[in-house]
Amino acid sequence: MGFTDSRFDVNLSILFTELPLLERPAAAAAAGFTEVELWWPWVDAPVPEQSELDALRHALQDAGTQLVGLNFYAGQLPGPDRGALSVPGEESDKFRANIDVAADFAQSLGCKALNALYGNRVDGVDPQVQDTLALENLVLAARAADRVGATLLIEALNKPESPLCPIVSAPKAIEIVDKVNAATGLGNAKFLMDLYHLSMNGEDLNQVIDAYADKTGHVQIADNPGRGAPGTGDLPLADLLGRLNKAGYDGWVGLEYKPGDRPSSQAFGWLYSA
């Protein structure tokens, strides 16, 4: 159970980053993956040139890779930002400008999952003001996702690495999921269960799986400590994925880990020996 019974996709924003973006889908395919996911690739451009969108689409299609997950615009990732949708002013405006661009791009590739990262608390801004703005933007994102037949994902990050992010536990993420679904009536908001982030928070992963598998729309993994490949840390990832399977989760499991000092193409030995 676990590795052999799970469906894996590779995150091209953390793996294969030694290559230019347009070369990563072919590299993932050469490593044996037919499904991939991405953070929003243009950190400074919520609305990139159509030629850039077209080039990425063609790179994914030419490689024979299926995009199964895409982030909405989230600011500088990796970097200081943890999303944009709760940040008043320019960042919220950028998120809103990106919503239909990201949704249409996802639709053009048959991608059915769109991740909306909440964003950090801002000094001098009332948290309630941020949370009201966030819900407004998440409702817009959920409606856009529904328009293209997709799920809206809401992810819990981890407090040690994201101390200004207010969504740093599974229950908090579920609270936001429920608020969005109540506001839209669409029911298409789901939990993105990142086992690395939850473990960094010290959460009981078995309990999280048992409680929230039915509200989970996507899973991501990395080992802890180190955010490396399975087997480089202490997490019983095969057991956890087996538990998810038994709980009824049959969606994708995104490989969102750092390859270490080796080329990304050599970071999958754990999978082929499983």
Side-chain angles (χ1 to χ4, degrees):
M1 288 293 291
F3 292 152
T4 56
D5 292 334
S6 296
R7 302 192 303 163
F8 294 107
D9 72 87
V10 62
N11 188 305
L12 297 182
S13 298
I14 194 169
L15 286 155
F16 297 105
T17 57
E18 64 270 25
L19 298 172
L21 175 64
L22 298 183
E23 295 179 19
R24 295 177 203 169
F33 293 94
T34 53
E35 284 78 24
V36 300
E37 62 183 65
L38 280 164
W39 303 340
W40 185 249
W42 301 279
V43 296
D44 296 318
V47 184
E49 294 293 333
Q50 186 62 45
S51 59
E52 294 186 77
L53 292 162
D54 292 343
L56 179 56
R57 182 185 302 107
H58 293 150
L60 289 161
Q61 293 171 332
D62 291 348
T65 50
Q66 172 65 51
L67 186 68
V68 298
L70 177 68
N71 283 11
F72 287 106
Y73 170 80
Q76 298 285 333
L77 292 181
D81 298 329
R82 295 294 182 268
L85 62 90
S86 68
V87 181
E90 184 179 0
E91 286 303 289
S92 172
D93 292 345
K94 287 181 178 179
F95 178 82
R96 291 190 181 194
N98 172 253
I99 289 174
D100 283 330
V101 176
D104 290 344
F105 184 73
Q107 183 182 40
S108 75
L109 288 161
C111 175
K112 299 297 186 182
L114 288 158
N115 184 26
L117 287 170
Y118 201 83
N120 288 329
R121 290 301 191 208
V122 179
D123 287 343
V125 180
D126 185 340
Q128 184 57 54
V129 170
Q130 285 198 257
D131 292 341
T132 298
L133 175 65
L135 184 57
E136 292 173 0
N137 282 336
L138 286 168
V139 165
L140 294 173
R143 288 173 178 157
D146 180 69
R147 175 176 63 79
V148 300
T151 296
L152 175 72
L153 299 173
I154 296 172
E155 180 177 7
L157 303 183
N158 75 78
K159 192 170 183 64
E161 294 176 323
S162 303
L164 298 178
C165 179
I167 304 184
V168 287
S169 74
K172 184 63 178 178
I174 294 295
E175 176 188 324
I176 303 300
V177 166
D178 290 344
K179 284 182 177 179
V180 174
N181 285 332
T184 65
L186 297 171
N188 70 326
K190 296 274 190 174
F191 178 37
L192 195 167
M193 184 186 293
D194 186 310
L195 296 177
Y196 167 74
H197 286 313
L198 301 178
S199 70
M200 284 285 287
N201 288 327
E203 297 182 68
D204 183 326
L205 299 183
N206 288 327
Q207 186 179 64
V208 168
I209 289 168
D210 293 346
Y212 304 129
D214 63 332
K215 292 187 175 184
T216 298
H218 191 64
V219 172
Q220 291 173 334
I221 63 169
D223 215 331
N224 186 24
R227 200 173 185 175
T232 60
D234 301 327
L235 288 183
L237 288 167
D239 293 342
L240 293 167
L241 293 181
R243 194 179 190 98
L244 267 164
N245 291 336
K246 288 180 179 178
Y249 180 76
D250 60 358
W252 294 103
V253 176
L255 305 181
E256 196 183 55
Y257 59 77
K258 299 174 183 177
D261 296 331
R262 57 194 164 171
S264 295
S265 60
Q266 297 175 18
F268 306 107
W270 62 273
L271 179 56
Y272 301 118
S273 63

